[in-house]
PDB file of all heavy atoms in Angstrom:
ATOM      1  N   HIS A 131      93.725 160.353 115.893  1.00 98.00           N
ATOM      2  CA  HIS A 131      94.431 161.179 114.889  1.00 98.00           C
ATOM      3  C   HIS A 131      95.613 160.390 114.325  1.00 98.00           C
ATOM      4  O   HIS A 131      96.376 159.801 115.047  1.00 98.00           O
ATOM      5  CB  HIS A 131      94.991 162.486 115.515  1.00 98.00           C
ATOM      6  CG  HIS A 131      93.987 163.327 116.208  1.00 98.00           C
ATOM      7  ND1 HIS A 131      93.107 164.142 115.524  1.00 98.00           N
ATOM      8  CD2 HIS A 131      93.700 163.530 117.515  1.00 98.00           C
ATOM      9  CE1 HIS A 131      92.332 164.810 116.313  1.00 98.00           C
ATOM     10  NE2 HIS A 131      92.684 164.472 117.562  1.00 98.00           N
ATOM     11  N   VAL A 132      95.680 160.368 112.975  1.00 98.00           N
ATOM     12  CA  VAL A 132      96.881 159.820 112.318  1.00 98.00           C
ATOM     13  C   VAL A 132      97.632 160.846 111.489  1.00 98.00           C
ATOM     14  O   VAL A 132      98.683 160.615 111.035  1.00 98.00           O
ATOM     15  CB  VAL A 132      96.521 158.591 111.421  1.00 98.00           C
ATOM     16  CG1 VAL A 132      96.039 157.445 112.319  1.00 98.00           C
ATOM     17  CG2 VAL A 132      95.534 158.955 110.388  1.00 98.00           C
ATOM     18  N   PHE A 133      96.998 162.064 111.315  1.00 98.00           N
ATOM     19  CA  PHE A 133      97.657 163.227 110.718  1.00 98.00           C
ATOM     20  C   PHE A 133      96.986 164.416 111.167  1.00 98.00           C
ATOM     21  O   PHE A 133      95.888 164.364 111.885  1.00 98.00           O
ATOM     22  CB  PHE A 133      97.637 163.112 109.187  1.00 98.00           C
ATOM     23  CG  PHE A 133      96.262 163.303 108.591  1.00 98.00           C
ATOM     24  CD1 PHE A 133      95.939 164.414 107.892  1.00 98.00           C
ATOM     25  CD2 PHE A 133      95.361 162.278 108.643  1.00 98.00           C
ATOM     26  CE1 PHE A 133      94.753 164.630 107.328  1.00 98.00           C
ATOM     27  CE2 PHE A 133      94.044 162.468 108.027  1.00 98.00           C
ATOM     28  CZ  PHE A 133      93.784 163.592 107.391  1.00 98.00           C
ATOM     29  N   VAL A 134      97.538 165.557 110.958  1.00 98.00           N
ATOM     30  CA  VAL A 134      97.028 166.886 111.468  1.00 98.00           C
ATOM     31  C   VAL A 134      96.201 167.542 110.387  1.00 98.00           C
ATOM     32  O   VAL A 134      96.642 167.700 109.259  1.00 98.00           O
ATOM     33  CB  VAL A 134      98.166 167.796 111.942  1.00 98.00           C
ATOM     34  CG1 VAL A 134      97.619 169.080 112.385  1.00 98.00           C
ATOM     35  CG2 VAL A 134      99.022 167.162 112.916  1.00 98.00           C
ATOM     36  N   GLU A 135      94.883 167.785 110.738  1.00 98.00           N
ATOM     37  CA  GLU A 135      93.981 168.444 109.752  1.00 98.00           C
ATOM     38  C   GLU A 135      93.814 169.927 110.131  1.00 98.00           C
ATOM     39  O   GLU A 135      94.019 170.289 111.304  1.00 98.00           O
ATOM     40  CB  GLU A 135      92.627 167.763 109.845  1.00 98.00           C
ATOM     41  CG  GLU A 135      92.650 166.347 109.251  1.00 98.00           C
ATOM     42  CD  GLU A 135      91.233 165.645 109.273  1.00 98.00           C
ATOM     43  OE1 GLU A 135      90.839 165.184 110.333  1.00 98.00           O
ATOM     44  OE2 GLU A 135      90.626 165.802 108.237  1.00 98.00           O
ATOM     45  N   ASP A 136      93.376 170.744 109.212  1.00 97.00           N
ATOM     46  CA  ASP A 136      93.058 172.125 109.450  1.00 97.00           C
ATOM     47  C   ASP A 136      91.986 172.315 110.537  1.00 97.00           C
ATOM     48  O   ASP A 136      92.019 173.148 111.371  1.00 97.00           O
ATOM     49  CB  ASP A 136      92.632 172.861 108.127  1.00 97.00           C
ATOM     50  CG  ASP A 136      93.817 173.041 107.126  1.00 97.00           C
ATOM     51  OD1 ASP A 136      94.980 172.928 107.574  1.00 97.00           O
ATOM     52  OD2 ASP A 136      93.486 173.188 105.932  1.00 97.00           O
ATOM     53  N   VAL A 137      90.975 171.394 110.476  1.00 97.00           N
ATOM     54  CA  VAL A 137      89.882 171.415 111.370  1.00 97.00           C
ATOM     55  C   VAL A 137      90.428 171.222 112.818  1.00 97.00           C
ATOM     56  O   VAL A 137      89.836 171.723 113.805  1.00 97.00           O
ATOM     57  CB  VAL A 137      88.759 170.432 111.006  1.00 97.00           C
ATOM     58  CG1 VAL A 137      89.229 168.985 111.150  1.00 97.00           C
ATOM     59  CG2 VAL A 137      87.470 170.667 111.862  1.00 97.00           C
ATOM     60  N   THR A 138      91.428 170.357 112.906  1.00 96.00           N
ATOM     61  CA  THR A 138      91.990 170.077 114.246  1.00 96.00           C
ATOM     62  C   THR A 138      92.598 171.394 114.885  1.00 96.00           C
ATOM     63  O   THR A 138      92.366 171.766 116.032  1.00 96.00           O
ATOM     64  CB  THR A 138      93.035 169.026 114.248  1.00 96.00           C
ATOM     65  OG1 THR A 138      92.519 167.917 113.479  1.00 96.00           O
ATOM     66  CG2 THR A 138      93.451 168.551 115.619  1.00 96.00           C
ATOM     67  N   ILE A 139      93.374 172.035 114.064  1.00 97.00           N
ATOM     68  CA  ILE A 139      94.059 173.244 114.503  1.00 97.00           C
ATOM     69  C   ILE A 139      92.970 174.355 114.794  1.00 97.00           C
ATOM     70  O   ILE A 139      93.128 175.033 115.882  1.00 97.00           O
ATOM     71  CB  ILE A 139      95.018 173.779 113.375  1.00 97.00           C
ATOM     72  CG1 ILE A 139      95.992 172.744 112.987  1.00 97.00           C
ATOM     73  CG2 ILE A 139      95.676 175.112 113.814  1.00 97.00           C
ATOM     74  CD1 ILE A 139      96.837 172.256 114.218  1.00 97.00           C
ATOM     75  N   GLU A 140      92.001 174.500 114.015  1.00 97.00           N
ATOM     76  CA  GLU A 140      90.910 175.466 114.301  1.00 97.00           C
ATOM     77  C   GLU A 140      90.155 175.083 115.576  1.00 97.00           C
ATOM     78  O   GLU A 140      89.865 176.006 116.372  1.00 97.00           O
ATOM     79  CB  GLU A 140      89.996 175.555 113.022  1.00 97.00           C
ATOM     80  CG  GLU A 140      88.881 176.605 113.266  1.00 97.00           C
ATOM     81  CD  GLU A 140      89.424 178.048 113.533  1.00 97.00           C
ATOM     82  OE1 GLU A 140      90.536 178.352 113.031  1.00 97.00           O
ATOM     83  OE2 GLU A 140      88.735 178.764 114.290  1.00 97.00           O
ATOM     84  N   GLY A 141      89.919 173.875 115.778  1.00 95.00           N
ATOM     85  CA  GLY A 141      89.217 173.411 116.981  1.00 95.00           C
ATOM     86  C   GLY A 141      89.984 173.747 118.255  1.00 95.00           C
ATOM     87  O   GLY A 141      89.461 174.150 119.254  1.00 95.00           O
ATOM     88  N   ILE A 142      91.299 173.591 118.142  1.00 96.00           N
ATOM     89  CA  ILE A 142      92.186 173.840 119.338  1.00 96.00           C
ATOM     90  C   ILE A 142      92.244 175.376 119.530  1.00 96.00           C
ATOM     91  O   ILE A 142      92.330 175.830 120.689  1.00 96.00           O
ATOM     92  CB  ILE A 142      93.525 173.206 119.170  1.00 96.00           C
ATOM     93  CG1 ILE A 142      93.375 171.690 119.276  1.00 96.00           C
ATOM     94  CG2 ILE A 142      94.508 173.668 120.238  1.00 96.00           C
ATOM     95  CD1 ILE A 142      94.596 170.877 118.900  1.00 96.00           C
ATOM     96  N   ARG A 143      92.298 176.140 118.414  1.00 96.00           N
ATOM     97  CA  ARG A 143      92.291 177.611 118.639  1.00 96.00           C
ATOM     98  C   ARG A 143      90.942 178.045 119.349  1.00 96.00           C
ATOM     99  O   ARG A 143      91.055 178.931 120.168  1.00 96.00           O
ATOM    100  CB  ARG A 143      92.419 178.286 117.299  1.00 96.00           C
ATOM    101  CG  ARG A 143      93.764 178.155 116.665  1.00 96.00           C
ATOM    102  CD  ARG A 143      93.956 179.112 115.478  1.00 96.00           C
ATOM    103  NE  ARG A 143      95.262 179.021 114.880  1.00 96.00           N
ATOM    104  CZ  ARG A 143      95.567 178.654 113.592  1.00 96.00           C
ATOM    105  NH1 ARG A 143      94.575 178.379 112.809  1.00 96.00           N
ATOM    106  NH2 ARG A 143      96.776 178.616 113.167  1.00 96.00           N
ATOM    107  N   GLN A 144      89.870 177.463 118.938  1.00 96.00           N
ATOM    108  CA  GLN A 144      88.632 177.796 119.622  1.00 96.00           C
ATOM    109  C   GLN A 144      88.635 177.344 121.089  1.00 96.00           C
ATOM    110  O   GLN A 144      88.065 178.013 121.959  1.00 96.00           O
ATOM    111  CB  GLN A 144      87.532 177.148 118.857  1.00 96.00           C
ATOM    112  CG  GLN A 144      87.262 177.737 117.437  1.00 96.00           C
ATOM    113  CD  GLN A 144      86.080 177.102 116.698  1.00 96.00           C
ATOM    114  OE1 GLN A 144      85.238 176.401 117.329  1.00 96.00           O
ATOM    115  NE2 GLN A 144      86.044 177.330 115.422  1.00 96.00           N
ATOM    116  N   ALA A 145      89.237 176.198 121.313  1.00 95.00           N
ATOM    117  CA  ALA A 145      89.301 175.720 122.734  1.00 95.00           C
ATOM    118  C   ALA A 145      90.117 176.702 123.604  1.00 95.00           C
ATOM    119  O   ALA A 145      89.859 176.922 124.741  1.00 95.00           O
ATOM    120  CB  ALA A 145      89.957 174.297 122.734  1.00 95.00           C
TER     121      ALA A 145
END
Side-chain angles (χ1 to χ4, degrees):
H131 303 283
V132 295
F133 69 106
V134 180
E135 294 183 274
D136 291 341
V137 66
T138 311
I139 302 303
E140 181 56 31
I142 292 172
R143 288 192 179 121
Q144 292 180 16

